[in-house]
Amino acid sequence: MYTKIFRTVIIGAPGSGKGTISELIVKTYGCLHISTGDILRQNIVKNTDLGKKAKQYIADGQLVPDEIVTKTVLARITEVGNKSYILDGFPRNIAQAEALAAREQIDAVITLNIPHDVIIDRVKNRWIHAPSGRVYNIGFHDPKVPGKDDVTGESLTQREDDKPDVVAKRLQLYDELMKPVIAWYEKKGLVATFKGNKTKEIWPRVELFLRDRMNM
Ligand code: G5P
Ligand code: MG
């Protein structure tokens, strides 16, 4: 367990493995995983005001408006307090990056660079347990009982935004909006990029990078 506070942002296209790598970071370094997508989907399941506002944007593969997401994520960071975390899905544009920088000092930015054709194949097989954010993938990380969450036994669902036309839109939006965000963090000397087709090849490199940055 790492004892100093270390704040990491993870950036990557839809389906690139941000959630999967974040969970490995959580298990290895004991930090918290803050995923804006998971927070929004949990609110949709609970039918909260936030969930009602976010639902259509997510289903259409569009960004939820900045003021809603930024307020939500900063509130979550306040709740977390002085703890290390990995921030997954935020920032999504320069305005969000600036709002985060005004509030928090980020120690490292991990970017995942996975070919789009690999991503398109992966998300077809993704199943989730929306209330918890647990993610499965047929043939890569299967649930113990087909179609059921390992912990609760509840039914798994597919994400509305994993339909092929929405995935294509999300990939395009990612390329357009995130290149400037990555360049913005590069100027600050924070970025490490990890290229590959498989999480099992990428994770050992991410682990070494973090170990080095944390001076462990
Ligand atoms: P999200 O939830 O942030 P995305 O699009 O950024 O969504 P996503 O789809 O959650 O990212 P991921 O987390 O990068 O993908 O990938 P993952 O779930 O870990 O892995 C993908 C699949 O591949 C999984 O099934 C996993 O098991 C499998 N997998 C992993 N590694 C391997 C491997 O090596 N091999 C194989 N075969 N499979 C593997 O955002 C969703 C929406 O919320 C809104 C937007 O509308 C957004 O579109 N939103 C925001 N809006 C505004 N501002 C923000 N900051 C927002 N954040 C979210
Ligand atoms: Mg995710």
Side-chain angles (χ1 to χ4, degrees), residues 42-195:
Q42 281 155 7
N43 276 275
I44 292 172
V45 170
K46 290 186 196 146
N47 205 26
T48 64
D49 284 347
L50 170 63
K52 284 179 201 157
K53 284 182 195 150
K55 191 173 178 171
Q56 202 53 48
Y57 293 103
I58 294 183
D60 290 343
Q62 299 296 336
L63 291 191
V64 176
D66 286 348
E67 62 274 16
I68 301 177
V69 181
T70 301
K71 197 169 126 201
T72 304
V73 82
L74 294 182
R76 179 71 188 119
I77 286 172
T78 305
E79 250 172 55
V80 160
N82 276 345
K83 295 204 183 93
S84 299
Y85 59 74
I86 169 106
L87 189 52
D88 159 5
F90 191 96
R92 281 301 231 268
N93 55 32
I94 295 284
Q96 293 185 7
E98 283 172 346
L100 179 64
R103 169 65 189 276
E104 293 282 277
Q105 189 201 313
I106 297 301
D107 299 298
V109 175
I110 290 169
T111 73
L112 303 178
N113 193 334
I114 316 297
H116 282 194
D117 57 333
V118 173
I119 286 178
I120 289 164
D121 262 2
R122 269 185 195 181
V123 294
K124 286 183 200 152
N125 295 321
R126 171 160 57 185
W127 289 82
I128 63 159
H129 180 247
S132 65
R134 277 185 287 278
V135 178
Y136 301 88
N137 196 280
I138 308 309
F140 168 71
H141 171 44
D142 289 277
K144 288 178 193 143
V145 177
K148 302 288 177 196
D149 177 46
D150 287 355
V151 177
T152 63
E154 288 166 350
S155 292
L156 301 177
T157 53
Q158 287 202 286
R159 279 171 47 172
E160 269 291 291
D161 59 348
D162 275 348
K163 292 179 181 144
D165 56 325
V166 185
V167 172
K169 221 181 323 174
R170 288 162 64 207
L171 287 170
Q172 195 188 345
L173 196 65
Y174 174 80
D175 286 342
E176 186 189 313
L177 293 178
M178 293 310 286
K179 273 187 190 144
V181 175
I182 294 168
W184 190 86
Y185 279 126
E186 266 167 353
K187 276 196 211 142
K188 297 176 189 291
L190 291 173
V191 177
T193 299
F194 300 90
K195 263 189 171 182

Side-chain angles (χ1 to χ4, degrees), residues 13-20 22 33 35 37-38 41 88-89 126 133 135 159 170:
S16 59
K18 299 182 294 298
T20 307
S22 295
H33 179 203
S35 156
D38 286 350
R41 281 184 291 277
D88 159 5
R126 171 160 57 185
V135 178
R159 279 171 47 172
R170 288 162 64 207

